[in-house]
Amino acid sequence: MIRVILAEDQAMVRGALASLLDLEPDIEVVGEAATGEEAVAVVERLEPDVALLDIEMPVLDGIAAAARIRARTPGCRVVILTTFGRPGYLRQAMEAGAYGFLVKDSPARELAVAIRRVLGGERVIDPGLAAAALSAGPNPLSRRERDVLVAAADGSTIVDIARALHLSEGTVRNYLSSAIQKTGARNRIEAVQRSRLQGWL
Amino acid sequence: MIRVILAEDQAMVRGALASLLDLEPDIEVVGEAATGEEAVAVVERLEPDVALLDIEMPVLDGIAAAARIRARTPGCRVVILTTFGRPGYLRQAMEAGAYGFLVKDSPARELAVAIRRVLGGERVIDPGLAAAALSAGPNPLSRRERDVLVAAADGSTIVDIARALHLSEGTVRNYLSSAIQKTGARNRIEAVQRSRLQGWL
DNA sequence: GCGCTTCTCTGACAAATGTCATAGAGAAAG
DNA sequence: CTTTCTCTATGACATTTGTCAGAGAAGCGC
């Protein structure tokens, strides 16, 4: 039996995925988690063969959870399962030591197939997405440019951001300006959007 | 047997929900759809007892699909199943004639319970969400204010929006300004965010 | 060490954004 | 028939945003 734990914040989706996996004769869902932090703890306690992690989770996202799991419980193979097939997400997932990367709009039967393959030592990645991630190149934004973009995303003004990050207003302007340049956008909103699409935030 | 069709754009989630419902001895998933348009067609063809619709779907969203289903196939009861429990969504769903409104972070077992209740003639709505929808009041934005906000959401400039909607630049400014006032925001980004949170877009 | 990037800041300037007053036309409500 | 709302528009104004040039300090790679 392949022992799997499932981390996903939406309870109904989590339950549904569990019932999907329990249909498989060789797979058993032995634990569930609603946040990345819970997932790390559950994996440490139960030592499953595979941890299936959503990215978009509160407290600790799936990618950060993957990194911690690799450090603390290296015997457990991580598969990322996400809504958004963004190049930057895939890159980060690989850096965090994930063995598989699936998007939620691939067919349901792929899930069990992927789990079996990963357990067999294979890496499972959507080929189209892999190509996109490679051709897109790495994240061009610096640490601070990212910080400022994230802070700007909710409609904060320059003054707000400057206060929140303990920077001068001019500095914030400059970071925003360079982030706009690097993303090829015309203003901060487009810059945030494009960066999100690439998985750079 | 309760005959159900399932509309959800993410294939894996759709498959998982189907396996969840098929566990129930009295429920049968007789059809699936990936868009609202497909859902309307499938319902018309199969005349199920219940149509379970996601809101966020391409081509035609779940709320618009619900309205069409009520018009064309009134014998089919619609249940909305959505990621976002936004007051405006609930309001629109009710106006479109939905019998139930569930959010995906409620427990998985609620789904079957809700379907049975709706078939029994009950309306199933999260009580907390109902209260929020009532206390929040109706959408304060006018048609055009909404149009302009939606157009502004992706980073379009005033000029872009004016062109897209065939308006003068000054008019666009005015609509944006009043939308900002009505939402209590400080700029368009905050206005878009707050409106989204309320389900006003 | 030298070059590179990053982080931080300033000042000046042009362009975009948001506000306000005003106004006419049409539709809906009373 | 009057009031109210929405849609449309203009002009003027203050504020915010985005760009650019320049500059010092810290860290990294070779």
Side-chain angles (χ1 to χ4, degrees):
Chain A
M1 278 301 251
I2 305 177
R3 299 172 67 246
V4 176
I5 80 111
L6 193 55
E8 154 73 51
D9 61 332
Q10 295 186 309
M12 196 167 287
V13 175
R14 191 171 68 240
L17 287 170
S19 83
L20 182 70
L21 287 175
D22 278 334
L23 286 183
E24 305 292 329
D26 58 337
I27 295 179
E28 186 185 12
V29 177
V30 295
E32 296 189 8
T35 69
E37 218 163 48
E38 269 181 51
V40 175
V42 171
V43 166
E44 204 164 16
R45 186 153 49 81
L46 301 179
E47 301 202 343
D49 302 305
V50 173
L52 198 59
L53 307 181
D54 187 24
I55 292 187
E56 294 81 21
M57 284 190 293
V59 191
L60 193 73
D61 69 65
I63 290 179
R68 292 208 196 167
I69 287 172
R70 184 175 55 165
R72 297 205 213 168
T73 318
C76 174
R77 305 228 157 136
V78 170
V79 174
I80 296 288
L81 175 63
T82 177
T83 304
F84 307 105
R86 296 172 178 164
Y89 279 4
L90 174 52
R91 186 178 290 263
Q92 286 176 66
M94 291 301 111
E95 284 166 8
Y99 271 73
F101 191 94
L102 298 174
V103 288
K104 284 183 187 167
D105 45 33
S106 43
R109 62 185 185 304
E110 300 264 312
L111 184 57
V113 173
I115 288 174
R116 288 190 200 103
R117 282 202 183 163
V118 160
L119 208 74
E122 273 183 78
R123 301 235 168 204
V124 180
I125 293 150
D126 184 299
L129 196 57
L134 290 171
S135 72
N139 190 339
L141 300 173
S142 76
R143 185 77 234 278
R144 277 321 222 180
E145 285 162 355
R146 248 179 298 147
D147 292 343
V148 169
L149 266 194
V150 169
D154 67 345
S156 293
T157 63
I158 304 260
V159 178
D160 293 340
I161 302 170
R163 267 195 216 130
L165 301 183
H166 306 293
L167 291 172
S168 88
E169 295 175 28
T171 306
V172 173
R173 266 149 202 284
N174 289 340
Y175 286 147
L176 272 174
S177 184
S178 70
I180 290 166
Q181 305 287 302
K182 286 182 178 177
T183 52
R186 290 173 305 168
N187 53 52
R188 57 177 77 185
I189 314 180
E190 263 188 19
V192 167
Q193 242 204 354
R194 292 181 180 211
S195 303
R196 282 227 180 98
L197 210 64
Q198 293 292 326
W200 288 340
L201 301 185
Chain B
M1 277 302 247
I2 305 177
R3 298 171 69 244
V4 176
I5 80 111
L6 194 54
E8 154 73 52
D9 62 332
Q10 294 186 310
M12 196 166 288
V13 175
R14 192 170 67 239
L17 287 170
S19 84
L20 183 69
L21 286 175
D22 279 332
L23 287 184
E24 305 292 329
D26 57 337
I27 295 178
E28 186 185 13
V29 177
V30 295
E32 297 189 7
T35 69
E37 218 163 48
E38 269 181 51
V40 175
V42 171
V43 166
E44 204 165 15
R45 185 153 50 79
L46 301 179
E47 300 202 344
D49 301 305
V50 173
L52 198 59
L53 307 181
D54 187 23
I55 292 186
E56 294 81 21
M57 285 190 292
V59 191
L60 192 72
D61 68 66
I63 290 178
R68 291 207 196 168
I69 287 172
R70 184 174 56 165
R72 296 205 212 170
T73 318
C76 174
R77 305 228 156 135
V78 171
V79 174
I80 296 289
L81 175 63
T82 178
T83 305
F84 307 104
R86 296 173 178 163
Y89 279 5
L90 174 53
R91 187 178 290 263
Q92 287 177 67
M94 291 300 111
E95 284 166 8
Y99 271 72
F101 192 94
L102 298 174
V103 287
K104 284 182 188 166
D105 43 34
S106 41
R109 64 185 184 304
E110 299 265 313
L111 185 56
V113 173
I115 289 175
R116 288 188 200 106
R117 281 201 184 164
V118 160
L119 209 75
E122 272 182 78
R123 302 235 168 202
V124 180
I125 294 150
D126 185 299
L129 196 57
L134 290 171
S135 72
N139 190 338
L141 300 173
S142 77
R143 186 77 236 276
R144 279 320 225 180
E145 285 161 356
R146 247 179 299 148
D147 291 344
V148 169
L149 266 195
V150 169
D154 67 346
S156 294
T157 64
I158 304 259
V159 178
D160 294 339
I161 302 170
R163 268 194 215 129
L165 301 183
H166 306 294
L167 291 172
S168 88
E169 295 176 29
T171 306
V172 173
R173 265 148 201 285
N174 289 340
Y175 286 147
L176 273 174
S177 184
S178 69
I180 290 166
Q181 305 289 301
K182 285 182 178 178
T183 52
R186 290 174 304 169
N187 54 51
R188 56 176 77 187
I189 315 179
E190 264 189 17
V192 167
Q193 242 207 352
R194 293 181 179 210
S195 303
R196 282 225 180 101
L197 208 64
Q198 294 292 325
W200 289 338
L201 301 185

